[in-house]
Structures are given as C-alpha cells and as structure tokens.
C-alpha cells in the first residue's frame, strides 16, 4: 500500500507559486535553471526577523527589489525578467483554477494578482527610471553614451496589435518577444499619469521615428496600430496631446517642419505620391510599381493600383480612428483642433500656383488629411443634410483658429469683409454669444455627434465664442480639401499637360532628327525620353492613390453637395430670380469653396462611374443660379468654370443617362439655363484680366458646345426662341454681336496663318536652300511651323463652331439679325467670309491636308450660304439685300455667281442654290437703286452725316457727355461692344441717348426737297455709302 503524500500548507503552496513566478529562492536550489537566483542576503534578513524562509505576499516586494537591484550571473535583465514574471503569473493563474478547495483557490488567486501587479508596477518604475536598478544593457538605459534606443515596450505592443503586412506582403517583426495576456492593458490602465507619461512620450517618439520617410509600400501599419492602441487609454491620449512634439514650436516652424517633427506628421506623410528629393520615402512607389511605365501590362497596372488603394485606405482608417478617439474626449478635443488648425495655417501657401516644398508639407500629407477629414464629416453628410443649420457663417469672421478672413471672397472685397466682421463683433447684427448660448451649442453638438463640446473649459472661461464641432469640422475640411485633394487634382492635371507638351516636343525633335541628324539632337531626345518616363511614373502614382479610389472621390462629392446647399441657404434657398442685393454672409464666403466644388465635379466627371449614386440636382441648381450672376460671384473665370462642369455632363460626353435628366427634365434648367448661358457669353468679354482677349475664346468654346446640345432639345430650343424675342434688343443682341466679332477675328486670323504656314512649307520643301541654312535656324523655323499649325487648328475649330451656331439658330430666329443696328454688320461678315472662300485668293488657301487643321472650306461655304438664305427668308421688311450691297469692303455680285458655281460643282441641293442666286440678284438690284438714290440726293450737308460712318442720319441722337450728334443705329452698334462714348470714353448706355428731333425734322425736309426734283417716295432707309468693288478698283456712289 502506497504511502500518502503529506499535504502542503497554504503557506507552502504560496511559496512554490511565488518561486515559480519570480524565479527566486531563499534556500539554495542547487538546480540547473540558470535563470533562478538564490537571494542569500535576503534570506539571512528574513531569518534574523524570526520568520520562515518561505516566499509570501508580505515579503515578495522586498525580494523583488533585491532581485532587481543586484546583477546576478546568467540572470535575465530587469525588463525581460519582469515580463517573464507576468507571463509565469498568468500561467500559474490558469493552473489555480483547477484547485478544488475554494478557499485555497481564492487565496492563491490573490497571490497571483499581487504578483502581476508587482511585475507591472516595477516595469513602470524600471522604464521610467532605467538607472534605478543594476546596470543592465537591456535597451532601457538612457544614460549610456550610445545612440538613443527604442522602448522595449514597443515589440510587446506590436505583438499585441498583430503583425502588419507591408505593401508587398512581407511581415513586420515584433522583436521576438510577445506580450503576456493582459499585461499591456494593466500597464497603461488605472495608473498614476506622472509615472506613465515619460514612458508614453518615449513610445510616441519611437513610433514617429519608425514611420519617418516610409512610403505606402513600407511597414507603416504596425506603428499605426500601435499608436491607435495607445490612444485607447486615457493616459495615452493625455500624454500624446501634451507631448512637446504634438504641436512643435519654434522660430522656424513652417508647414514642412510640422509634417516632419510633429508626432502625427510622419504618419500623415506616408503616401504613394511623389515628394521632394530631400523628403523622399522608401520604398519608392514609382520605381517599384511603375518603372518602364509605357510598357506596363494592364494587369500589372491594375494590381499595383489595387495594392496602393488598399494600403492607403488602411492608413486613412487608422488615422481617422485616432483623431476620432481624441475628439470624443473633452479633455483632448481642443488639442486636436489646435493641431489641425496649425497644420492648415502653416500650409496656407499650398494654395499658390508654385509651392515651396521646403516650407510646405507634402501633397501626400494633405491628400491623407483630406481623406481623414472626410471620414470625420460622415455623421453630418446624410442624404437630407439635416445638420447643416449647425454651420455658422459668422465663423469666417470670428474663428480664433483658422485664418479665413484673408481669403478671396465670393464677391466682397477684403475691406468689405473687414468692415462686416467689425459690425459682427460690435453686435450690429445681434448680441454677441452669451454663456447660455454657448451651453446650448455644446449640448446640441454633444447630441449631434456624441463628441460633446468643441471647446475646453479654458476657452469657455476665456470668453471665446463656441461653435459646434460640426461647424468647425466643416470649415476645417473645406480648407484641407483646398490645400490637399483639390491641389493634388491640379498637380495631376499639370503633370498630364507637361507629359503632353514633352511628347509633342519629342515628336518634333525626332522628325527633325530624320531630316538633319545630329549629336546634340540625339542627346536632347534621350533627355526628353527620360523626363517623360519620370513624369509618367509620377502621374501613375497620383492615379493610384486618388483617381482609382472611387470612395474618396464620392466622399468629397458628398461634402461639396453640403457646401453648395448650405451656400444657397444663405441667399434664401433654391429659387430664382435671386434677390437683387447679395447678402453679405454669402458675399464674404471664401471663393475657393465654390471653385473647389466645380473643380471636383469636372475631375470626377472624367472618371468612369465616379458620379454614380451622387445627387447632382443640387449642383445643377447652384450652377444655374450663379453662373450669370456677377453681383453674387464676382470672378468671371469661376462662373466660366461652372459652364465647364455642365459641358462634362452633356449626355454624349458623360456616358451617363442620369445627366440627360439634368438638362431635359429639370425645372430651373428649362427656365433659366439658355438665358444664363447667353448672358455669360456676353459678360465674359471683359474679365479684367490682361489675358481676357484670349481667355474669352476658350470660355465661349465651352458655352458654344453646350448651346449646340441644348438647341437639339425641343424644350430648350423653345426657350431660346422666346429669349430671342423678349431680349431682342438686350442680351440676345449683345450675344449676336460678340458671336460675329469672334467669327470674323478667328477666321481672319486662321486664314492669315495659313498663308504664313504655306510660306514656311515652301522654304522647307526647297531642300537645297533649306540644307544650306544653319541647324539652329532650321530648328527655330521648324518649331514656328508646328506652332502655326496648332494656332490654325484651334482658331479654325472655334470659327467653325461660331459659324455653325449662326447657321442653325438663324433657321428659326432671324429678327435680331435684321435689326437696323445689326443687319449691316451681319451682311458685312457674310460677304467677307464669302470673299475669302470663293474670291481671287481662294486657291492660295489650299492645304495638302486641310482636315488636319480643322479647315473644311466646303462645309464652311455651305454654312455661310445657309445663313444668307435663312436671313433672306425671314426678311419681311426687305432690308437684307440692301445691307449686303452696302458693304463696300467685300461685296461683289460676281461672288454670288462664283459661290453658286462651286455649290453646283459640289452637288449641293439645287433649291438652295437657286434661293442663293435669287438673293444675289436682289442685292445687285439694291446696289443699283442705292446708286440712283445717291445721285438724286446730291451733295449732303455735313451736319446731316453721321460722324462715325459718314452716312445720312435717319434717327439723330445727342451723346450726353461729348454733346456730339450721331445716328442712333450707328451708336447702338458701337455700344454692343463698348459701353463708352467713342469721342471721350465716358460711360454711355442706350437709355442715355438724347433724341435730336429738330435735326431729324431738318433731315426729313432735306430728303423731301431733293426727292421732288426727280424721285418720288424716297425713304430714309437709303444712306450715303461709298462702295469699293473688290474685283474692280473703282469707286461707286449709290
């Protein structure tokens, strides 16, 4: 029969458990485990006190101090030892659960709990004061002369949050040590903040350093998760926002310094976007993913795009979760807002065309910050935008964080903004915010987002106005997007333009190399090829992080929908017409709010499916309301950008059926779109810019394309006809005038350039003479040749659009063309075009490949003939033939015959040719009648002649400033292009003209008196005009 084991007492069991946990003995163990330490001196002290040599809760802390204070051979260093203690305590705790004796189990659980607590407590002491215990080289001794070492806690935190996967599937390392279950939570939780703060600050510095200059393909996810883990503890939050590097201070602080030295800055710097060489991150995304960009397979590109999109969204999610955790706590919320404001204000110059990379943060940081801010906005971007009333427009004038008042406003000048802000601060528009109102704001904000107030107690006590978090978040996001995502769009566009320009230059150089090979040309070609390759890699990096991230684009669209709906609310909502006076709150809003919305819509419209699921109606309403309202949006280029958006939405261009309903089933669109487009077409003549003359052609090109589409929509065509009728002598007449001006200039310019181009062609085709010229001269002449080609192509395209618009509109709208102040101008234009196309110099305009230059003379001739016929068919007063014949510069009856012959040769419709020939005959007859009438009138007194055109006045009027008398139709024609008195440049409008009834009566008497001699019934529509036949060098008086 086996003998029964003697039962151990609770004290003995406690001793065994503590020995296993702390690896210490008070009796020489004589064992083989080198980690076990025999504390001989401690044992002697305990014996001298008359106690048993057993480890217990009463003596274990003294024993632990002795173990840590001395250096024992083969023993583990303090940190590793204490972590092991906690792990062994955890293991012993699991064994204890199997004890049957509940009382004993309960006692031993307390033993294990105290052991864990001691391990954690002394871990804190050791990490906070590395020199306190024996001189162990375990990476915690900051007093060593070697370089600063990372906190040994970091690998434990990495193991806690899991191993991160880098951009290529590799895994990060936790340093070979894992955190015992529950250790970190106990370490950071419920502790004295002062003891934890230096440990946490060291960790934050280590994490910041670990992601310094790490790209999207590097291992940033492990440090990011570690940072997120630390801010899950109240002490972690407090320590982070109180770190000296939370918001760096110093004399030389700028945007780049903020990015590189703040704790969060390097995390925000992680990106796929290119950066300045001094701050370049590794691995290089362009080299790793897009080397030899021109030869990459589509599948490889897609794989790289997907990888970059995935890792960047991991970064966005992590950073937004960190900020959200801090924002939810009143104790740290103010610090977050101050940090964001500092980043924005220090980088305000990122809005400039040229950005200094040494003083401004990277594009990568601001694109990342854009994505994070959009995530923070999600709670108030619901479909109905129910929380937009929490956005206070007075924040622009009152914000103590953001510099908003210095930004260009939608309509107000900087002085007007300052004056309005002063009135607000003086209480002119209501009482300043009182504490009770502040409390109400805080309560609303807390209910809206669960964030509580957005102001600390200190700020409330300081008397600063309080704004809901939604309000601050709105303005912060608008500024960040302007400096970040929208700036990146601009950079991408410029990259694409640079690549296109370089490729054109490369193509030209290669062509020159074929003709005249040279070493210098070869070197230049090689340089440009490398430059194109480099730019192409950068462009693909932008595409990967931004264009391919549909969610990022859609979040931005949701935000800007809020922006436009909120702005419209400041003027009374979506209704037309707008109030005659622009509210100051709207006028003072930053212009970039609207410009950024338009830029985003243009950019998104060119990305397939980017607009899917987006409610565009509010954007459409906004554009219609403000694109022709200079009293609300002062900048004409911003209003022109609105047309560019609509251009992108033309159904044939957008590829989406959803955009068709915006034009064809939208109430404001049907009622105001055509009218406002015509008004903008006129307004854009004078932009105030030194480049206004050339800018207007590009802007009107967009308007023309949109108008051509709308003409094909019956409802819009009907609206157009109604406008032409109601505004016959208003905006529609001005529109026609500028349309004619542009047509004449563009066609004249392009035809002259064709002649210059043909001269250059002749030079280059004479091979012998060409080869004799110096190489540099040949290169310059070749560049000029290609430049002329581009100018001809652009001007011809624009001229064709203008003539085409006159052709299709004149079919149904003729009255404005035939007004007294317009009919002669229209006739002169048509005659000039006809002369160029069928006159003597026609053959000198022939080109080898006219299609290459958008030059289609047959089509252009047919359009001109159609306009002639359309106007003739609507000419109820029979004024058009006379107007044609009065054109002394271009008219000749032979031109009509020559044009008809060409049309027959082209096989055009015989009916059209017949109508055109008949119009030519009428013009010829009118010319003959006019000559007879002139002969009857004889010598006309100078006082009856218009001083501008030198024609007999029919309706004389006095100009109020210069007091000179002119014919009404002549001055009205002048005022269509220039609202000034032609004699002294003072302001002049049609309503200011003073009828000269006395002079008109005298002219009528003169005509009657002269008519009695030979001709009866001469009407006043016959004017004195000098005609010069372009085919005969003789002067005729009609």
């Amino acid at each position: 029969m086996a003998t029964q084991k003697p039962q151990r007492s609770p004290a003995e069991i406690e001793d065994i458990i503590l020995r296993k946990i702390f690896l210490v003995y008070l009796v020489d163990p004589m064992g083989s485990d080198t980690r076990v330490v025999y504390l001989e001196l401690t044992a002697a002290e305990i014996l001298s006190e008359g106690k048993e040599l057993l480890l217990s809760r009463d003596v274990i802390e003294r024993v632990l101090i002795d173990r840590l204070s001395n250096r024992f051979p083969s023993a583990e260093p303090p940190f590793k030892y204490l972590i092991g203690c906690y792990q062994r305590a955890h293991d012993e705790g699991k064994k204890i659960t199997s004890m049957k004796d509940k009382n004993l189990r309960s006692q031993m659980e307390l033993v294990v709990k105290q052991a864990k607590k001691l391990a954690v407590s002394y871990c804190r002491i050791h990490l906070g004061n590395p020199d306190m215990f024996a001189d162990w080289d375990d990476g915690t001794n900051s007093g060593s002369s070697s370089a600063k070492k990372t906190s040994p806690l970091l690998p434990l935190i990495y193991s806690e949050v899991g191993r991160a996967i880098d951009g290529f599937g590799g895994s990060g390392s936790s340093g070979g040590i894992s955190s015992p279950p529950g250790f970190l939570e106990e370490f950071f939780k419920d502790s004295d903040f002062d003891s934890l703060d230096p440990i946490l600050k060291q960790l934050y510095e280590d994490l910041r350093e670990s992601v310094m200059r790490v790209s999207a393909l590097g291992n940033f996810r492990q440090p990011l998760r570690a940072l997120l883990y630390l801010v899950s503890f109240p002490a972690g939050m407090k320590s982070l926002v109180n770190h000296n590097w939370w918001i760096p201070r110093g004399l030389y602080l700028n945007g780049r310094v903020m990015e590189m030295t703040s704790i969060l800055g390097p995390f925000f710097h992680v990106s796929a976007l290119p950066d300045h060489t001094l701050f370049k991150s590794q691995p290089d995304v362009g080299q790793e993913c897009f080397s030899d960009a021109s030869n990459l397979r589509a599948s490889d590109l897609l794989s790289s795009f997907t990888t970059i999109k995935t890792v960047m969204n991991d970064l966005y999610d992590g950073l937004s979760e960190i900020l959200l955790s801090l924002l939810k706590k009143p104790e740290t919320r103010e610090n977050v807002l101050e940090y964001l404001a500092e980043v924005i204000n220090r980088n305000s110059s990122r809005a400039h065309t040229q950005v200094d990379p040494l003083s401004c943060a990277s594009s990568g940081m601001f694109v990342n910050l854009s994505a994070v801010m959009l995530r923070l906005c999600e709670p108030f971007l619901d479909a109905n935008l129910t929380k937009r009333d929490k956005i206070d427009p007075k924040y622009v004038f009152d914000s103590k964080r953001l510099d908003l008042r210095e930004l260009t406003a939608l309509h107000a000048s900087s002085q007007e903004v300052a004056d309005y802000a002063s009135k607000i601060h003086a209480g002119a528009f209501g009482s300043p915010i009182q504490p009770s109102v502040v409390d109400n704001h805080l309560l609303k904000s807390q209910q809206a987002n669960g964030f509580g107030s957005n102001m600390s107690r200190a700020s409330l006590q300081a008397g600063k106005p309080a704004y809901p978090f939604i309000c601050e978040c709105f303005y912060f996001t608008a500024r960040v997007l302007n400096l970040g995502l929208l700036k990146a769009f601009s950079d991408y566009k410029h990259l694409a333009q640079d690549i296109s320009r370089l490729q054109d230059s490369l193509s030209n150089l290669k062509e020159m190399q074929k003709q005249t090979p040279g070493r210098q040309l070869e070197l230049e070609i090689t340089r440009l090829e490398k430059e194109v390759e480099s730019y192409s890699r950068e462009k693909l990096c932008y595409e990967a992080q931004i264009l391919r991230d549909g969610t990022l684009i859609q979040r931005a669209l949701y935000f800007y929908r809020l922006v436009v709906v909120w702005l419209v609310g400041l003027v009374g909502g979506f209704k037309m017409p707008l109030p005659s006076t622009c509210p100051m709150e709207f006028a003072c809003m930053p212009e970039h709010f609207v410009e950024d919305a338009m830029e985003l819509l243009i950019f998104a419209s060119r990305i397939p499916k980017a607009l899917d699921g987006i409610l565009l109606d509010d954007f459409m309403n906004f554009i219609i309301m403000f694109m022709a309202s200079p009293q609300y949006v002062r900048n004409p280029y911003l209003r022109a950008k609105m047309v560019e958006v609509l251009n992108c939405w033309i159904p044939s261009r957008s590829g989406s059926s959803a955009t068709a309903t915006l034009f064809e089933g939208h109430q404001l669109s049907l009622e105001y779109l055509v009218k406002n487009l015509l008004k903008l077409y006129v307004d854009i003549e004078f932009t105030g810019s030194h480049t206004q003359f050339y800018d207007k052609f590009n802007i009107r090109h967009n308007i023309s394309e949109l108008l051509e589409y709308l003409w094909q929509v019956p409802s819009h065509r009907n609206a157009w006809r109604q406008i032409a009728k109601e505004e016959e002598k208003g905006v529609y007449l001005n529109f026609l005038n500028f349309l004619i001006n542009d047509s004449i200039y563009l066609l004249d310019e392009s035809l002259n350039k064709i002649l210059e181009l043909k001269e250059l062609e002749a030079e280059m085709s004479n091979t012998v003479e060409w080869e004799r010229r110096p190489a540099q001269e040949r290169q310059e002449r070749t560049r000029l040749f290609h430049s002329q080609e581009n100018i001809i192509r652009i001007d011809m395209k624009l001229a064709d659009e203008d003539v085409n618009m006159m052709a299709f509109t004149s079919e149904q709208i003729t009255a404005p063309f035939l007004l007294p102040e317009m009919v002669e101008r229209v006739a002169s234009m048509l005659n000039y075009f006809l002369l160029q196309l069928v006159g003597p110099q026609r053959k000198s305009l022939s080109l080898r490949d006219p299609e290459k230059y958008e030059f289609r003379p047959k089509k252009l001739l047919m359009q001109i003939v159609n306009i002639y016929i359309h106007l003739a068919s609507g000419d109820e007063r029979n004024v058009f033939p006379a107007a044609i014949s009065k054109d002394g510069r271009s008219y000749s009856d032979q031109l009509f015959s020559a044009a008809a012959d060409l049309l027959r040769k082209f096989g055009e419709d015989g009916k059209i040719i017949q109508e055109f020939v008949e119009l030519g005959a009428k013009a010829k007859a009118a010319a003959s009648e006019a000559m007879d009438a002139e002969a009857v009138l004889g010598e006309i007194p100078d006082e009856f002649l218009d001083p501008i055109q030198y024609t007999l006045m029919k309706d004389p009027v006095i100009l109020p400033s210069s007091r000179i008398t002119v014919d009404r139709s002549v001055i009205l024609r002048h005022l269509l292009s220039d609202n000034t008195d032609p004699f002294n440049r003072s302001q002049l409008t049609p309503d200011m003209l003073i009828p000269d009834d006395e002079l008109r009566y005298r002219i009528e008497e003169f005509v009657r008196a002269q008519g009695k001699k030979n001709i009866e019934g001469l009407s006043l529509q016959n004017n004195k005009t000098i005609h010069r036949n372009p085919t005969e060098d003789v002067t005729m008086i009609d």
Side-chain angles (χ1 to χ4, degrees):
M1 184 174 176
T3 57
Q4 189 175 1
K5 271 187 176 182
Q7 192 171 3
R8 293 190 178 100
S9 66
E12 290 174 324
I13 295 172
E14 183 176 354
D15 174 65
I16 293 169
I17 291 172
L18 290 174
R19 275 190 281 131
K20 288 181 178 179
I21 292 173
F22 291 101
L23 298 179
V24 293
Y25 280 74
L26 297 178
V27 180
D28 191 351
M30 303 298 287
S32 59
D33 191 343
T34 58
R35 296 177 303 161
V36 176
V37 173
Y38 170 42
L39 299 176
E40 188 176 0
L41 292 177
T42 309
E45 287 179 11
I46 291 173
L47 281 175
S48 69
E49 294 170 4
K51 297 178 181 178
E52 288 187 85
L53 290 179
L54 294 175
L55 294 176
S56 67
R57 282 177 286 169
D58 294 335
V59 301
I60 193 61
E61 185 168 5
R62 188 202 311 181
V63 169
L64 181 58
I65 292 172
D66 197 13
R67 162 65 180 81
L68 293 170
S69 300
N70 296 282
R71 186 161 188 172
F72 299 95
S74 303
E76 294 176 320
F79 182 77
K80 188 176 181 181
Y81 167 71
L82 290 167
I83 296 299
C85 290
Y86 194 96
Q87 179 65 58
R88 291 186 289 272
H90 174 76
D91 295 340
E92 290 300 316
K94 289 195 290 185
K95 295 176 185 176
I96 289 169
T97 58
S98 62
M99 288 183 177
K100 295 179 181 179
D101 187 330
K102 290 183 179 180
N103 289 331
L104 180 62
R105 185 171 69 234
S106 178
Q107 289 179 44
M108 294 308 109
E109 284 174 349
L110 291 174
V111 171
V112 169
K113 184 177 180 181
Q114 184 178 350
K116 287 183 175 180
K117 188 173 182 181
L118 283 171
V120 169
S121 179
Y122 278 87
C123 225
R124 288 198 200 104
I125 293 170
H126 171 58
L127 292 175
N129 306 275
D131 299 328
M132 178 174 285
F133 300 119
D135 187 18
W136 291 88
D137 186 16
D138 63 349
T140 62
N141 193 341
S142 61
S144 68
S145 59
S146 60
K148 184 178 179 182
K149 297 179 180 178
T150 59
S151 170
L153 269 179
L154 203 53
L156 271 65
I157 296 172
Y158 285 164
S159 72
E160 183 75 15
V161 299
R163 293 173 181 267
I165 305 299
D166 70 20
F168 290 117
S171 64
S173 170
S174 63
I177 184 169
S178 60
S179 174
F183 171 78
L184 288 173
E185 186 174 358
E186 194 168 341
F187 186 93
F188 292 115
K189 202 172 182 181
D190 303 327
S191 172
D192 174 42
F193 175 74
D194 292 337
S195 66
L196 270 182
D197 189 41
I199 300 170
L200 285 162
K201 281 184 165 57
Q202 173 66 45
L203 283 168
Y204 289 133
E205 291 170 24
D206 293 342
L207 289 172
R208 168 189 164 277
E209 189 66 30
S210 68
V211 294
M212 187 71 75
R213 302 197 183 181
V214 170
S215 76
L217 301 180
N219 180 19
F220 68 84
R221 284 189 276 192
Q222 210 172 37
L224 180 65
R225 290 172 183 170
L227 182 60
L228 182 57
Y229 179 76
L230 289 176
V231 299
S232 66
F233 300 101
M237 292 185 184
K238 185 176 179 182
S239 180
L240 176 60
V241 299
N242 285 287
H243 197 294
N244 288 337
W245 293 351
W246 171 251
I247 301 178
R249 305 292 178 188
L251 184 62
Y252 300 104
L253 183 64
N254 59 33
R256 181 62 81 166
V257 172
M258 280 288 295
E259 178 179 27
M260 303 309 290
T261 61
S262 68
I263 296 295
L264 292 183
F267 284 93
F268 277 108
H269 183 257
V270 174
S271 171
L273 302 184
D275 196 4
H276 189 275
T277 307
L278 290 174
F279 312 103
K280 205 170 184 67
S281 299
Q282 295 297 330
D284 187 314
V285 177
Q287 288 288 352
E288 296 285 350
C289 294
F290 307 118
S291 60
D292 195 17
S294 57
N295 296 318
L296 281 174
R297 294 181 303 175
S299 59
D300 292 336
L301 274 176
L302 185 59
S303 175
S304 295
F305 289 154
T306 303
T307 297
I308 292 169
K309 175 184 171 183
T310 301
V311 296
M312 290 313 301
N313 273 276
D314 283 348
L315 178 71
Y316 304 154
D317 291 338
L319 287 172
S320 58
E321 199 170 340
I322 288 166
L323 292 186
L324 192 57
S325 298
L326 296 169
L327 286 164
K328 285 182 176 179
K329 297 294 181 183
E331 300 83 5
T332 54
R333 182 177 310 115
E334 184 75 4
N335 303 91
V336 176
L337 294 173
E338 286 177 2
Y339 171 76
L340 293 173
E342 192 75 8
V343 170
I344 293 167
N345 292 333
R346 294 286 179 180
N347 286 283
S348 59
S349 59
R350 274 189 55 81
H352 299 167
T353 305
Q354 296 294 326
V355 178
D356 178 9
L358 301 182
S359 63
C360 288
S362 65
S363 293
M365 176 179 188
F366 265 84
V367 169
N368 295 342
L369 189 55
S370 298
V372 169
M373 292 305 299
L374 288 170
R375 280 164 167 75
L376 295 180
C377 290
E378 280 185 346
F380 55 89
L381 294 179
D382 56 294
N384 296 321
L385 304 175
T386 53
K387 295 168 185 169
R388 67 178 183 272
D389 60 323
K390 298 183 185 299
I391 304 168
D392 192 337
K394 292 185 178 63
Y395 187 89
V396 170
F397 318 104
D398 219 25
S399 172
K400 302 298 186 294
R401 298 190 217 276
L402 295 183
D403 302 327
L404 296 172
R405 281 192 285 172
E406 299 305 314
L407 299 173
T408 302
L410 278 171
H411 190 270
S413 65
S414 56
Q415 186 59 50
E416 288 170 332
V417 172
D419 292 345
Y420 189 66
S422 299
K423 290 179 182 178
I424 288 176
H425 294 148
F429 301 104
S431 303
I433 298 177
Q434 301 298 320
S436 60
V437 180
V438 169
D439 294 340
N440 186 40
H441 271 305
L442 300 180
L443 179 61
K444 286 182 179 179
S445 178
Q446 201 165 20
Q447 292 170 343
N449 275 341
F451 292 165
S453 76
N454 74 308
M455 303 291 282
S456 65
R457 285 192 179 91
S459 65
L460 294 177
Q461 290 167 359
K464 293 180 183 177
Y467 293 95
F469 173 77
I470 289 176
C471 180
E472 297 223 61
C473 190
F474 171 82
Y475 285 101
F476 276 50
T477 305
R479 290 294 294 133
V480 167
L481 288 171
N482 175 252
L483 303 174
L485 186 62
L486 273 301
K487 181 64 176 173
F489 288 162
S490 175
D491 292 343
Y492 176 84
K493 183 170 68 175
H494 289 142
L495 259 178
Q497 290 170 348
D498 288 343
I499 292 171
S500 177
R501 175 181 52 79
L502 286 171
Q503 287 174 334
D504 286 345
S505 299
L506 197 56
S507 177
N508 292 340
L509 286 176
K510 286 180 177 178
E511 191 175 319
M512 290 164 62
Q513 179 75 340
K514 288 178 184 177
Q515 297 175 359
T516 55
R519 177 63 180 161
Q520 193 61 40
L521 272 177
E522 188 177 332
L523 291 173
E524 183 68 6
I525 288 170
T526 303
R527 184 188 68 80
L528 286 182
E529 285 176 338
K530 289 180 179 178
E531 206 168 339
V532 168
E533 176 67 21
S534 175
Y535 280 9
S536 297
R537 285 198 300 269
E538 290 186 13
K539 180 172 174 280
L540 287 169
C541 288
Y542 275 93
E543 186 173 345
Q545 184 168 342
I546 303 173
L547 275 71
R548 294 286 173 157
D549 192 346
T551 304
L552 173 62
I553 303 293
Q554 290 211 330
R555 282 192 171 109
L557 287 166
Y558 292 144
F559 177 79
Y560 281 107
R561 176 173 169 256
L562 168 64
V563 171
V564 300
V565 170
W566 177 73
L567 283 172
V568 167
L570 298 181
V571 301
F574 287 109
K575 54 187 179 183
M576 293 282 279
L578 288 166
S580 56
T581 304
C582 177
M584 278 303 292
E585 286 182 339
F586 181 92
C588 295
M589 283 301 114
E591 181 183 88
H592 80 73
F593 283 18
V594 176
E595 184 172 11
D596 292 346
M598 298 303 112
E599 285 286 4
L600 176 64
L601 288 169
I602 292 167
F603 205 83
S605 298
R606 293 167 181 165
I607 302 173
K609 299 184 179 180
L611 296 180
D612 289 0
I614 303 296
L615 294 172
L616 298 176
D617 295 69
D618 293 324
F619 291 116
M620 184 71 168
N621 286 329
F622 183 90
I623 289 170
I624 293 170
M625 289 174 69
F626 296 106
M627 71 177 178
S629 302
Q631 70 275 28
Y632 279 79
V633 179
R634 185 191 300 273
N635 186 347
Y637 294 101
L638 177 51
R639 288 183 280 118
K641 202 173 289 291
M642 298 179 189
V643 177
E644 200 175 338
V645 174
L646 298 185
N647 240 25
C648 295
W649 291 352
I650 295 174
S652 61
R653 188 167 294 163
S654 71
S656 171
S657 58
T659 57
T661 60
L662 293 174
F663 295 105
E664 299 175 22
H666 194 281
Q667 189 54 44
L668 275 184
S669 171
L670 294 172
E671 195 169 349
Y672 290 98
L673 182 53
V674 172
K675 182 177 182 178
N676 286 353
L677 284 171
L678 295 174
K679 187 175 185 302
L680 181 59
Y681 193 101
V682 172
D683 291 345
I684 214 67
E685 179 74 14
F686 306 105
T687 65
S689 167
H690 67 283
T691 59
Q692 67 180 13
F693 180 78
Y694 300 100
D695 295 338
K696 68 182 180 183
F697 293 117
N698 289 327
I699 296 168
R700 285 174 176 165
H701 163 67
N702 287 326
I703 297 174
S704 297
E705 287 191 324
L706 192 55
L707 285 171
E708 184 174 355
Y709 159 68
L710 294 175
W711 183 262
Q712 298 164 21
V713 180
S715 51
H716 283 293
R717 185 164 61 247
N718 291 336
W720 193 328
R721 290 160 63 185
Q722 188 63 27
I723 293 164
K725 185 176 180 181
E726 294 173 355
E727 299 280 346
E728 188 178 85
K729 292 203 173 186
V731 68
Y732 200 78
L733 194 60
N734 282 287
F735 160 70
L736 284 183
N737 179 65
F738 290 127
L739 184 62
I740 291 169
N741 286 351
D742 289 357
S743 300
I744 294 171
Y745 171 80
L746 290 167
L747 191 63
D748 199 33
E749 183 76 2
S750 54
L751 294 178
N752 287 332
K753 292 292 181 187
I754 287 176
L755 296 176
E756 293 176 18
L757 189 73
K758 288 176 72 68
E759 287 181 15
L760 287 168
E761 271 185 339
E763 287 180 22
M764 296 165 71
S765 62
N766 188 342
T767 312
V768 176
E769 289 296 324
W770 180 254
E771 292 295 336
R772 287 177 182 170
R773 296 190 181 193
Q776 185 176 352
E777 183 185 347
R778 293 200 303 269
Q779 290 177 21
E780 289 174 358
R781 299 295 282 174
T782 303
R783 288 194 185 97
L784 177 61
F785 178 81
H786 292 302
S787 172
Q788 300 287 55
E789 283 189 316
N790 288 331
I791 293 173
I792 294 169
R793 190 181 301 113
I794 293 169
D795 285 354
M796 275 295 180
K797 181 177 175 60
L798 296 176
D800 179 70
E801 282 178 354
D802 290 347
V803 174
N804 185 50
M805 189 182 301
M806 282 188 279
F808 66 70
T809 56
S810 62
E811 187 174 8
Q812 297 189 28
I813 302 171
T814 56
F817 288 94
L818 299 171
L819 289 170
E821 56 266 42
M822 183 57 69
V823 64
E824 291 183 17
R825 180 122 174 81
V826 173
S828 296
M829 175 200 70
L830 294 173
N831 290 344
Y832 174 71
F833 287 171
L834 198 63
L835 174 64
Q836 300 301 317
L837 293 171
V838 304
Q841 70 166 14
R842 171 170 63 94
K843 292 185 179 180
S844 64
L845 297 174
S846 61
L847 291 167
R848 293 176 186 172
D849 184 10
E851 283 290 330
K852 177 182 177 182
Y853 306 101
E854 305 277 343
F855 183 40
R856 305 176 183 92
K858 292 180 184 178
K859 177 187 173 186
L860 187 58
L861 176 60
M862 198 62 222
Q863 289 172 329
I864 298 298
V865 168
N866 279 331
I867 297 171
Y868 271 118
I869 293 171
H870 294 159
L871 297 184
S873 63
D875 183 17
E876 297 176 355
R877 296 181 295 117
N878 200 33
V879 296
F880 190 45
I884 293 172
S885 65
K886 284 181 182 178
D887 172 24
R889 184 181 70 158
S890 305
Y891 170 72
S892 165
D893 61 306
Q894 290 97 327
L895 291 177
F896 280 78
S897 302
D901 291 340
L902 279 175
L903 292 176
R904 293 188 189 98
K905 184 179 177 181
F906 298 154
E908 294 295 340
D909 188 342
K911 182 181 178 184
I912 292 176
I913 298 172
Q914 182 60 35
E915 291 179 8
F916 181 66
V917 170
E918 289 175 0
L919 176 61
K922 289 181 181 179
K924 184 177 181 180
S928 177
E929 290 175 9
M931 290 178 66
D932 293 341
E934 288 287 351
V936 169
L937 287 175
E939 190 69 26
I940 301 174
D942 286 347
E943 62 178 320
F944 295 168
L945 295 174
D946 174 78
I948 298 174
Q949 293 288 336
Y950 204 64
T951 54
L952 181 65
M953 291 186 283
K954 177 182 177 182
D955 186 4
V957 291
I958 301 170
L959 305 184
S961 175
S962 62
R963 307 305 297 178
I964 293 174
T965 300
V966 296
D967 194 32
R968 184 185 295 274
S969 64
V970 174
I971 194 63
L972 287 178
R973 192 181 311 149
H974 165 80
L975 291 177
L976 290 174
S977 302
D978 187 352
N979 285 327
T980 62
D981 185 321
F983 299 99
N984 62 10
R985 312 306 296 167
S986 61
Q987 185 68 21
L988 181 64
T989 56
D991 58 299
M992 297 167 66
L993 302 175
I994 304 167
D996 192 339
D997 293 331
E998 188 272 334
L999 180 59
R1000 181 172 59 82
Y1001 175 75
R1002 289 169 54 208
I1003 292 172
E1004 290 173 350
E1005 282 296 311
F1006 167 76
V1007 171
R1008 275 196 293 269
Q1010 293 296 101
K1012 287 179 181 177
K1013 296 178 180 177
N1014 296 305
I1015 301 175
E1016 295 293 330
L1018 179 65
S1019 69
L1020 280 175
Q1021 69 179 1
N1022 298 308
N1023 298 326
K1024 179 179 180 180
T1025 310
I1026 297 178
H1027 289 280
R1028 183 173 301 275
N1029 191 318
T1031 60
E1032 300 173 21
D1033 191 16
V1034 295
T1035 301
M1036 298 180 294
I1037 300 177
D1038 56 337

